[in-house]
Amino acid sequence: MQPWKALTRRRAASIAAGLFFFLILVAGGIALRSENAELTAAQKRTFAVAEVTDILADDAQPEPWSEGLRLGAQTVELEICSGPYEGTILEATNYLSAYSNVDCTLGTRVIVRLDLDDNGQPYVISIPNYDRGIVLAGMVAVFALLLVVIGGKKGVMALLGLAYTLAGIWFLLIPMVLKGADPIWSAVLIAALTAVASLLMLTGFSRKTLCAGLGCVGGVAAAALFAWVVSQITPISGFNMSEAEDLVLRAYDSPLSIRGLLVSGILIAALGAVMDVAMSISSACQELQTVDPNITRLQLFRSGMNIGRDAMGTMANTLILAFAGASFNMLLLFQVYGYPLIQVINSDTMAIELIQSVAGSVGIILTVPLVSLISSLIFPKKA
């Protein structure tokens, strides 16, 4: 068989795999969709995009402590740009505070919350946000363009894999958890499904994909197991999270399981880094076996470990810094209030952040010997 024919068949198989996993995603989303569900309070609210056409009054002024933010109130004229009331001109009072500060000027596009008066006419209740949709869409478009231009076909497949991963979390994992499925096992299932789908779409059916996929699933499972053991010993559960109060209120009228949400979140957070390390080691081992077909399993395992040691240090550091950056405001508050170190370390918030970062790093570390071992068993043709 000529090489180009083998490549074409492999690419066709990759596309077929992508379509297969896409059909799984669609079927799962349809199966989990709630039929005739009662609308929530948030769904009953009406929001629309509006553009400021005039500033009728403005007494807002910056305060010395507000770092340039203007505080006060504005009376603005708005033209509704979306929804059933598109084209309607309305007046609204916009209150500017340090915590809700949508400072309007002529031409500013904002999000408004609407309601109907006794005569059935719309009026503006509040102006909660700027309209950031166009800017955010442009940011995503630039990211996708760079990925495709620099990565070529690999970039396109990586973009599709990323889209599939995000869709799997939104359309499968979250509905499964809301339906009462165990959060940990649901996260393991979705992590395995998205990892395999992403790797297949990126590299196709190959021994490299098999090694990376098995190592990725094993590394993520190791991170989850480590986090679960620590959370049981500590103890820490989903009830310790900052969103626990709202989740508990939601759990009263749904089968949502609060326990396990912490571990499932760690699984999802560690998936990307573990996948990166697994593919790096698997790809390097394949190249080594291609250059030296007579390489032994022991030599390949050692080489994989040497490569992985460099990767695990940077990726573990990246993961820990990502969690530290996400909780940076919390660390500042600990310093501002002057909490003693013993309270900082043993607080629920700090314990959760430490478990998340360390468990993810443990998953990365254990992925290195796992992928190296699998590669040493699969790639060499002789012992």
Side-chain angles (χ1 to χ4, degrees):
M1 181 184 297
Q2 296 183 8
W4 68 270
K5 290 184 178 180
L7 181 62
T8 301
R9 290 186 178 181
R10 182 175 297 177
R11 180 57 59 191
S14 301
I15 296 174
L19 292 175
F20 172 74
F21 283 106
F22 176 75
L23 291 176
I24 291 179
L25 179 63
V26 173
I30 293 175
L32 292 171
R33 186 177 59 184
S34 298
E35 297 291 344
N36 301 322
E38 182 180 354
L39 295 178
T40 65
Q43 291 173 328
K44 294 178 182 178
R45 298 176 181 176
T46 301
F47 294 91
V49 178
E51 182 176 342
V52 178
T53 56
D54 195 6
I55 305 295
L56 304 178
D58 190 343
D59 63 2
Q61 297 293 333
E63 298 291 341
W65 55 269
S66 65
E67 300 184 12
L69 291 177
R70 299 192 322 125
L71 308 180
Q74 297 175 306
T75 302
V76 297
E77 183 182 80
L78 302 164
E79 179 181 356
I80 307 301
C81 302
S82 67
Y85 308 107
E86 183 177 356
T88 305
I89 304 297
L90 300 174
E91 291 186 10
T93 301
N94 180 32
Y95 296 99
L96 304 177
S97 66
Y99 308 106
S100 178
N101 196 285
V102 182
D103 199 346
C104 295
T105 59
L106 288 178
T108 302
R109 292 175 65 88
V110 295
I111 303 297
V112 296
R113 181 185 171 192
L114 302 174
D115 204 348
L116 300 178
D117 58 20
D118 295 336
N119 298 321
Q121 298 300 314
Y123 68 95
V124 177
I125 296 179
S126 61
I127 304 177
N129 296 303
Y130 291 103
D131 177 24
R132 301 183 175 96
I134 297 177
V135 176
L136 295 179
M139 178 190 68
V140 174
V142 170
F143 161 73
L145 181 62
L146 291 173
L147 189 60
V148 171
V149 170
I150 297 176
K153 293 181 179 180
K154 292 288 187 180
V156 174
M157 301 310 293
L159 191 62
L160 292 177
L162 175 61
Y164 183 88
T165 299
L166 296 177
I169 294 173
W170 183 257
F171 293 108
L172 286 182
L173 177 59
I174 295 177
M176 287 173 64
V177 173
L178 291 177
K179 290 285 186 179
D182 183 85
I184 299 177
W185 286 111
S186 299
V188 170
L189 174 63
I190 298 303
L193 187 64
T194 55
V196 172
S198 299
L199 293 173
L200 281 176
M201 285 187 281
L202 182 63
T203 59
F205 288 93
S206 64
R207 291 184 294 173
K208 176 175 67 175
T209 304
L210 176 62
C211 296
L214 293 175
C216 182
V217 173
V220 170
L225 179 61
F226 182 84
W228 180 81
V229 171
V230 174
S231 65
Q232 294 299 310
I233 296 174
T234 309
I236 288 287
S237 67
F239 291 95
N240 302 93
M241 297 185 299
S242 57
E243 302 85 0
E245 182 177 355
D246 291 336
L247 291 173
V248 168
L249 293 176
R250 171 62 180 167
Y252 275 120
D253 50 18
S254 76
L256 173 65
S257 175
I258 304 298
R259 293 187 178 275
L261 291 179
L262 173 64
V263 177
S264 63
I266 293 173
L267 276 167
I268 301 303
L271 178 60
V274 171
M275 192 185 304
D276 188 1
V277 172
M279 178 52 71
S280 298
I281 298 174
S282 178
S283 180
C285 288
Q286 185 187 47
E287 291 298 319
L288 288 171
Q289 193 273 335
T290 302
V291 172
D292 182 9
N294 295 319
I295 190 170
T296 65
R297 289 191 172 96
L298 181 59
Q299 290 173 332
L300 191 60
F301 176 77
R302 289 176 176 174
S303 298
M305 289 295 297
N306 291 332
I307 296 168
R309 289 188 181 100
D310 294 332
M312 77 168 66
T314 56
M315 292 306 300
N317 193 40
T318 300
L319 196 61
I320 290 178
L321 289 178
F323 282 115
S327 58
F328 188 64
N329 290 343
M330 176 195 68
L331 298 177
L332 286 175
L333 284 176
F334 281 143
Q335 289 278 3
V336 168
Y337 287 113
Y339 282 108
L341 186 60
I342 187 173
Q343 171 62 14
V344 172
I345 295 176
N346 291 282
S347 65
D348 290 340
T349 306
M350 180 59 70
I352 290 173
E353 295 296 333
L354 286 174
I355 292 174
Q356 288 177 330
S357 57
V358 174
S361 300
V362 167
I364 293 173
I365 294 171
L366 294 181
T367 300
V368 172
L370 182 59
V371 177
S372 299
L373 178 61
I374 296 174
S375 299
S376 68
L377 296 175
I378 293 178
F379 285 132
K381 296 181 180 179
K382 61 181 181 178

